[in-house]
Amino acid sequence: MRVVHDPQELRSFPGGAFVPTMGALHEGHASLIRRAKASGLPVCLSIFVNPTQFGPKEDLSRYPRTLDADLAIAERDGADVAFVPSVDVMYPEGIEEANRVASTLPLPDVATKPGLEDRCRPGHFAGVQLVVARLFDMARPAVAVFGEKDWQQLKLIEAMVARAKVAEPARWPELRILPHATVRERDGLAMSSRNRYLTPELREQSLGIARALQVAHSAQRPATAEKLMRETLELHGFSLDYAVVRDADTLLPVGDFARPTRALIAARIGPADAPVRLIDNAAMTVWS
Ligand code: PAF
Protein backbone atom coordinates (compact mmCIF):
# COMPACT_ATOMS: atom_id res chain seq x y z
CA MET A 1 0.00 0.00 0.00
CA ARG A 2 1.28 3.45 -0.92
CA VAL A 3 0.80 6.31 1.55
CA VAL A 4 0.46 9.62 -0.28
CA HIS A 5 0.13 13.14 1.06
CA ASP A 6 0.12 15.11 -2.19
CA PRO A 7 -2.99 15.00 -4.42
CA GLN A 8 -0.73 15.10 -7.50
CA GLU A 9 0.30 11.56 -6.58
CA LEU A 10 -3.34 10.47 -6.96
CA ARG A 11 -3.13 11.29 -10.67
CA SER A 12 -2.14 7.71 -11.43
CA PHE A 13 -5.23 6.49 -9.62
CA PRO A 14 -8.40 7.71 -11.44
CA GLY A 15 -11.36 5.37 -11.74
CA GLY A 16 -10.75 3.49 -8.51
CA ALA A 17 -12.92 2.71 -5.48
CA PHE A 18 -12.73 5.40 -2.82
CA VAL A 19 -13.37 5.19 0.93
CA PRO A 20 -13.28 8.60 2.65
CA THR A 21 -12.67 8.48 6.42
CA MET A 22 -11.57 10.64 9.32
CA GLY A 23 -9.32 7.86 10.60
CA ALA A 24 -9.70 6.14 14.01
CA LEU A 25 -10.59 3.13 11.89
CA HIS A 26 -12.64 0.29 13.32
CA GLU A 27 -14.32 -2.83 11.96
CA GLY A 28 -17.01 -0.68 10.30
CA HIS A 29 -14.38 1.10 8.20
CA ALA A 30 -12.64 -2.21 7.52
CA SER A 31 -15.85 -3.53 6.02
CA LEU A 32 -16.14 -0.40 3.82
CA ILE A 33 -12.61 -1.10 2.55
CA ARG A 34 -13.51 -4.75 1.86
CA ARG A 35 -16.66 -3.59 0.02
CA ALA A 36 -14.52 -1.27 -2.11
CA LYS A 37 -12.07 -4.11 -2.76
CA ALA A 38 -14.94 -6.40 -3.87
CA SER A 39 -15.63 -3.94 -6.71
CA GLY A 40 -12.43 -5.25 -8.32
CA LEU A 41 -11.11 -1.68 -8.68
CA PRO A 42 -7.96 -0.34 -7.02
CA VAL A 43 -8.89 0.99 -3.58
CA CYS A 44 -7.98 4.43 -2.21
CA LEU A 45 -8.76 5.28 1.41
CA SER A 46 -8.48 8.84 2.65
CA ILE A 47 -7.74 9.78 6.24
CA PHE A 48 -8.48 13.41 7.08
CA VAL A 49 -10.02 14.84 10.24
CA ASN A 50 -12.00 17.58 8.57
CA PRO A 51 -12.08 20.79 10.65
CA THR A 52 -14.87 22.42 8.61
CA GLN A 53 -17.42 19.82 9.70
CA PHE A 54 -16.88 20.41 13.43
CA GLY A 55 -18.72 23.18 15.26
CA PRO A 56 -16.81 25.49 17.63
CA LYS A 57 -18.00 23.53 20.69
CA GLU A 58 -17.48 20.07 19.18
CA ASP A 59 -14.75 17.47 19.68
CA LEU A 60 -12.27 18.40 16.88
CA SER A 61 -9.26 18.71 19.20
CA ARG A 62 -9.99 15.48 21.04
CA TYR A 63 -11.12 13.51 17.97
CA PRO A 64 -9.06 10.27 18.09
CA ARG A 65 -5.98 10.29 15.82
CA THR A 66 -4.48 6.83 15.36
CA LEU A 67 -2.64 7.02 12.04
CA ASP A 68 -0.25 4.05 12.44
CA ALA A 69 -3.05 1.69 13.48
CA ASP A 70 -5.27 3.09 10.68
CA LEU A 71 -2.63 2.40 8.03
CA ALA A 72 -2.20 -1.15 9.33
CA ILE A 73 -5.96 -1.80 9.03
CA ALA A 74 -6.12 -0.21 5.57
CA GLU A 75 -3.26 -2.37 4.34
CA ARG A 76 -4.67 -5.54 5.97
CA ASP A 77 -8.05 -5.08 4.29
CA GLY A 78 -6.67 -4.42 0.84
CA ALA A 79 -6.37 -0.66 0.29
CA ASP A 80 -3.88 0.11 -2.48
CA VAL A 81 -3.41 3.77 -1.61
CA ALA A 82 -3.90 5.70 1.64
CA PHE A 83 -4.32 9.42 0.97
CA VAL A 84 -3.43 11.42 4.08
CA PRO A 85 -3.62 15.11 3.19
CA SER A 86 -2.73 17.97 5.54
CA VAL A 87 -5.16 20.76 6.42
CA ASP A 88 -3.13 23.06 4.10
CA VAL A 89 -3.57 20.65 1.19
CA MET A 90 -7.33 20.44 1.67
CA TYR A 91 -7.81 24.10 2.58
CA PRO A 92 -5.02 26.22 1.05
CA GLU A 93 -7.24 29.28 1.61
CA GLY A 94 -7.21 28.73 5.41
CA ILE A 95 -9.94 27.31 7.63
CA GLU A 96 -11.83 30.54 8.15
CA GLU A 97 -12.13 31.16 4.41
CA ALA A 98 -12.92 27.47 3.80
CA ASN A 99 -15.77 27.72 6.32
CA ARG A 100 -17.05 30.76 4.46
CA VAL A 101 -16.81 28.97 1.09
CA ALA A 102 -18.58 25.92 2.56
CA SER A 103 -21.45 28.09 3.78
CA THR A 104 -21.98 29.61 0.30
CA LEU A 105 -22.37 26.26 -1.50
CA PRO A 106 -26.05 25.29 -1.77
CA LEU A 107 -26.84 22.15 0.20
CA PRO A 108 -29.18 19.52 -1.25
CA ASP A 109 -32.63 19.68 0.40
CA VAL A 110 -32.13 16.41 2.19
CA ALA A 111 -29.35 17.96 4.31
CA THR A 112 -31.56 20.66 5.76
CA LYS A 113 -34.66 18.73 6.72
CA PRO A 114 -36.04 20.22 9.96
CA GLY A 115 -35.36 18.43 13.21
CA LEU A 116 -32.34 16.42 12.05
CA GLU A 117 -28.55 17.00 11.95
CA ASP A 118 -28.75 20.54 10.55
CA ARG A 119 -30.63 21.77 13.64
CA CYS A 120 -28.23 20.07 16.07
CA ARG A 121 -24.97 20.69 14.17
CA PRO A 122 -25.39 23.86 12.10
CA GLY A 123 -22.69 24.08 9.43
CA HIS A 124 -21.75 20.39 9.76
CA PHE A 125 -23.08 19.27 6.39
CA ALA A 126 -21.66 22.35 4.64
CA GLY A 127 -18.21 21.17 5.80
CA VAL A 128 -18.91 17.56 4.81
CA GLN A 129 -20.11 18.63 1.37
CA LEU A 130 -17.03 20.80 0.78
CA VAL A 131 -14.46 18.22 1.88
CA VAL A 132 -16.08 15.29 0.07
CA ALA A 133 -16.36 17.31 -3.16
CA ARG A 134 -12.68 18.26 -2.91
CA LEU A 135 -11.69 14.66 -2.16
CA PHE A 136 -13.70 13.46 -5.19
CA ASP A 137 -11.99 16.13 -7.34
CA MET A 138 -8.59 14.86 -6.20
CA ALA A 139 -9.23 11.10 -6.31
CA ARG A 140 -11.63 11.06 -9.34
CA PRO A 141 -13.04 7.68 -8.29
CA ALA A 142 -15.47 5.47 -10.21
CA VAL A 143 -17.19 4.41 -6.99
CA ALA A 144 -17.18 5.74 -3.43
CA VAL A 145 -18.36 3.71 -0.45
CA PHE A 146 -20.30 5.37 2.39
CA GLY A 147 -21.64 3.72 5.54
CA GLU A 148 -25.37 3.71 6.24
CA LYS A 149 -24.78 4.64 9.88
CA ASP A 150 -24.57 8.29 8.76
CA TRP A 151 -27.84 7.96 6.85
CA GLN A 152 -28.45 11.67 6.30
CA GLN A 153 -24.82 12.14 5.20
CA LEU A 154 -25.24 9.26 2.72
CA LYS A 155 -28.39 10.92 1.30
CA LEU A 156 -26.55 14.26 1.07
CA ILE A 157 -23.65 12.73 -0.86
CA GLU A 158 -26.01 10.85 -3.21
CA ALA A 159 -27.89 14.11 -3.88
CA MET A 160 -24.67 16.10 -4.35
CA VAL A 161 -23.40 13.61 -6.96
CA ALA A 162 -26.80 13.44 -8.71
CA ARG A 163 -26.92 17.24 -8.88
CA ALA A 164 -23.36 17.42 -10.26
CA LYS A 165 -24.26 14.93 -13.00
CA VAL A 166 -26.82 17.48 -14.27
CA ALA A 167 -25.15 20.80 -13.43
CA GLU A 168 -21.47 19.86 -14.01
CA PRO A 169 -21.54 16.66 -16.11
CA ALA A 170 -17.77 16.67 -16.68
CA ARG A 171 -16.93 16.82 -12.95
CA TRP A 172 -17.48 13.22 -11.74
CA PRO A 173 -18.96 11.62 -14.87
CA GLU A 174 -18.69 7.96 -13.86
CA LEU A 175 -18.97 8.27 -10.08
CA ARG A 176 -21.41 5.94 -8.30
CA ILE A 177 -22.10 5.97 -4.55
CA LEU A 178 -22.21 2.55 -2.90
CA PRO A 179 -24.07 2.48 0.44
CA HIS A 180 -22.79 -0.08 2.92
CA ALA A 181 -24.69 -1.59 5.87
CA THR A 182 -23.83 -0.52 9.42
CA VAL A 183 -21.49 -2.88 11.26
CA ARG A 184 -22.52 -3.58 14.86
CA GLU A 185 -20.96 -4.98 18.00
CA ARG A 186 -22.45 -8.32 19.09
CA ASP A 187 -24.87 -6.53 21.43
CA GLY A 188 -26.13 -4.20 18.67
CA LEU A 189 -24.11 -1.02 19.29
CA ALA A 190 -23.24 0.52 15.91
CA MET A 191 -19.47 0.79 15.43
CA SER A 192 -18.24 4.36 15.63
CA SER A 193 -14.93 6.11 16.21
CA ARG A 194 -16.63 7.92 19.09
CA ASN A 195 -17.37 4.63 20.92
CA ARG A 196 -13.83 4.79 22.28
CA TYR A 197 -14.94 7.75 24.46
CA LEU A 198 -17.36 5.46 26.31
CA THR A 199 -16.46 4.44 29.87
CA PRO A 200 -17.68 0.92 30.82
CA GLU A 201 -20.74 2.51 32.45
CA LEU A 202 -21.57 4.64 29.39
CA ARG A 203 -20.93 1.62 27.16
CA GLU A 204 -23.69 -0.22 29.07
CA GLN A 205 -26.03 2.78 28.77
CA SER A 206 -25.26 3.12 25.06
CA LEU A 207 -27.22 -0.06 24.38
CA GLY A 208 -30.31 2.12 24.76
CA ILE A 209 -29.88 3.15 21.12
CA ALA A 210 -30.02 -0.37 19.67
CA ARG A 211 -32.90 -1.18 22.05
CA ALA A 212 -34.80 1.94 20.98
CA LEU A 213 -34.45 0.95 17.32
CA GLN A 214 -35.65 -2.53 18.21
CA VAL A 215 -38.79 -1.40 20.08
CA ALA A 216 -39.63 0.98 17.23
CA HIS A 217 -40.23 -2.12 15.12
CA SER A 218 -43.17 -3.21 17.26
CA ALA A 219 -45.10 0.02 16.54
CA GLN A 220 -48.01 0.22 14.10
CA ARG A 221 -47.53 3.94 13.42
CA PRO A 222 -44.49 6.25 13.15
CA ALA A 223 -45.75 8.46 16.00
CA THR A 224 -45.88 5.43 18.31
CA ALA A 225 -42.42 4.33 17.19
CA GLU A 226 -41.07 7.82 18.00
CA LYS A 227 -42.67 7.76 21.47
CA LEU A 228 -41.25 4.29 22.23
CA MET A 229 -37.77 5.34 21.07
CA ARG A 230 -37.84 8.50 23.20
CA GLU A 231 -38.95 6.54 26.28
CA THR A 232 -36.27 3.86 25.81
CA LEU A 233 -33.50 6.41 25.28
CA GLU A 234 -34.52 8.45 28.33
CA LEU A 235 -34.68 5.28 30.42
CA HIS A 236 -31.04 4.65 29.50
CA GLY A 237 -30.00 8.16 30.52
CA PHE A 238 -29.73 9.73 27.06
CA SER A 239 -30.46 13.38 26.25
CA LEU A 240 -32.14 13.41 22.88
CA ASP A 241 -31.22 15.41 19.82
CA TYR A 242 -33.84 13.51 17.85
CA ALA A 243 -35.55 10.12 17.64
CA VAL A 244 -37.81 10.17 14.61
CA VAL A 245 -39.22 8.12 11.75
CA ARG A 246 -38.78 9.69 8.32
CA ASP A 247 -39.21 8.80 4.66
CA ALA A 248 -36.00 6.88 3.89
CA ASP A 249 -35.16 8.99 0.82
CA THR A 250 -36.60 12.47 1.34
CA LEU A 251 -36.24 12.42 5.14
CA LEU A 252 -39.63 14.13 5.38
CA PRO A 253 -41.94 13.22 8.29
CA VAL A 254 -44.35 10.34 7.57
CA GLY A 255 -47.78 9.37 8.93
CA ASP A 256 -47.60 5.64 8.19
CA PHE A 257 -45.29 2.84 7.15
CA ALA A 258 -46.63 2.51 3.57
CA ARG A 259 -43.30 3.52 1.98
CA PRO A 260 -39.70 2.73 2.96
CA THR A 261 -39.04 4.65 6.17
CA ARG A 262 -36.07 4.95 8.47
CA ALA A 263 -35.93 5.41 12.24
CA LEU A 264 -33.16 7.93 12.96
CA ILE A 265 -31.61 8.65 16.35
CA ALA A 266 -29.03 11.14 17.63
CA ALA A 267 -28.57 11.31 21.40
CA ARG A 268 -25.98 12.20 24.02
CA ILE A 269 -24.78 10.46 27.17
CA GLY A 270 -22.17 11.26 29.78
CA PRO A 271 -21.04 14.46 31.48
CA ALA A 272 -22.83 17.65 30.39
CA ASP A 273 -19.51 19.39 29.61
CA ALA A 274 -18.18 16.53 27.42
CA PRO A 275 -21.07 14.32 26.35
CA VAL A 276 -20.64 11.49 23.84
CA ARG A 277 -22.98 11.99 20.90
CA LEU A 278 -24.07 8.78 19.20
CA ILE A 279 -26.15 8.39 16.06
CA ASP A 280 -27.78 5.34 14.53
CA ASN A 281 -30.69 4.40 12.29
CA ALA A 282 -32.62 1.41 10.99
CA ALA A 283 -35.00 0.58 8.16
CA MET A 284 -38.57 0.11 9.35
CA THR A 285 -40.86 -2.57 7.93
CA VAL A 286 -43.06 -1.44 5.04
CA TRP A 287 -46.75 -2.25 5.77
CA SER A 288 -48.97 -1.82 2.73
O1 PAF B 1 -18.19 10.02 7.59
C1 PAF B 1 -17.08 10.53 7.77
O2 PAF B 1 -16.17 9.93 8.32
C2 PAF B 1 -16.84 11.96 7.32
O3 PAF B 1 -17.98 12.73 7.47
C3 PAF B 1 -16.29 12.03 5.88
C4 PAF B 1 -17.31 11.51 4.88
C5 PAF B 1 -15.00 11.26 5.77
C6 PAF B 1 -16.01 13.50 5.51
O4 PAF B 1 -15.06 14.07 6.35
Side-chain angles (χ1 to χ4, degrees):
M1 184 180 76
R2 268 192 312 136
V3 179
V4 311
H5 303 281
D6 179 349
Q8 299 294 331
E9 291 181 62
L10 293 178
R11 281 181 178 273
S12 56
F13 180 76
F18 185 55
V19 182
T21 80
M22 296 208 300
L25 301 190
H26 48 66
E27 202 35 49
H29 295 110
S31 96
L32 298 179
I33 300 169
R34 292 195 293 270
R35 175 67 190 87
K37 195 74 184 167
S39 70
L41 299 167
V43 175
C44 175
L45 169 101
S46 66
I47 299 175
F48 179 65
V49 182
N50 174 32
T52 64
Q53 71 187 74
F54 288 79
K57 295 196 186 127
E58 293 184 10
D59 57 348
L60 174 61
S61 59
R62 70 173 184 134
Y63 197 83
R65 286 159 171 88
T66 57
L67 185 59
D68 290 344
D70 293 347
L71 294 177
I73 293 173
E75 177 141 46
R76 182 198 71 191
D77 283 292
D80 299 284
V81 178
F83 177 47
V84 188
S86 65
V87 172
D88 289 345
V89 161
M90 293 309 298
Y91 299 123
E93 67 272 66
I95 294 299
E96 211 172 301
E97 177 59 10
N99 276 324
R100 196 197 61 75
V101 171
S103 70
T104 62
L105 301 174
L107 276 171
D109 274 359
V110 79
T112 55
K113 285 290 173 289
L116 297 177
E117 287 298 288
D118 193 43
R119 177 174 62 81
C120 312
R121 304 185 70 188
H124 168 67
F125 279 142
V128 170
Q129 174 170 251
L130 180 65
V131 79
V132 173
R134 287 189 181 183
L135 289 166
F136 285 168
D137 287 341
M138 291 170 181
R140 288 160 300 139
V143 300
V145 189
F146 284 80
E148 290 185 351
K149 186 173 84 67
D150 296 280
W151 186 261
Q152 197 178 7
Q153 169 174 280
L154 168 66
K155 295 289 130 188
L156 154 68
I157 302 300
E158 286 174 346
M160 177 183 88
V161 171
R163 187 180 58 191
K165 285 199 193 295
V166 177
E168 304 166 278
R171 193 168 181 189
W172 310 310
E174 40 167 4
L175 178 56
R176 272 185 314 122
I177 301 302
L178 296 183
H180 191 62
T182 303
V183 178
R184 297 178 181 281
E185 304 282 359
R186 291 167 83 95
D187 58 12
L189 179 68
M191 296 214 181
S192 162
S193 303
R194 290 186 169 95
N195 290 355
R196 57 188 88 196
Y197 299 149
L198 298 170
T199 60
E201 194 189 333
L202 294 181
R203 174 68 182 76
E204 188 59 37
Q205 268 176 265
S206 69
L207 286 182
I209 297 210
R211 288 183 185 142
L213 291 172
Q214 220 167 20
V215 294
H217 270 284
S218 63
Q220 301 290 312
R221 306 201 60 80
T224 317
E226 292 179 350
K227 181 169 169 289
L228 290 172
M229 288 195 288
R230 281 196 304 271
E231 285 169 1
T232 308
L233 289 162
E234 279 159 10
L235 199 67
H236 286 78
F238 276 95
S239 305
L240 264 67
D241 280 353
Y242 53 82
V244 293
V245 176
R246 294 288 172 97
D247 181 286
D249 291 314
T250 64
L251 299 189
L252 285 166
V254 286
D256 56 37
F257 290 126
R259 280 180 38 81
T261 56
R262 207 90 195 171
L264 301 149
I265 290 176
R268 287 164 282 118
I269 37 171
D273 56 341
V276 184
R277 185 175 191 268
L278 299 174
I279 66 171
D280 200 351
N281 67 83
M284 303 294 287
T285 310
V286 178
W287 301 104
S288 43

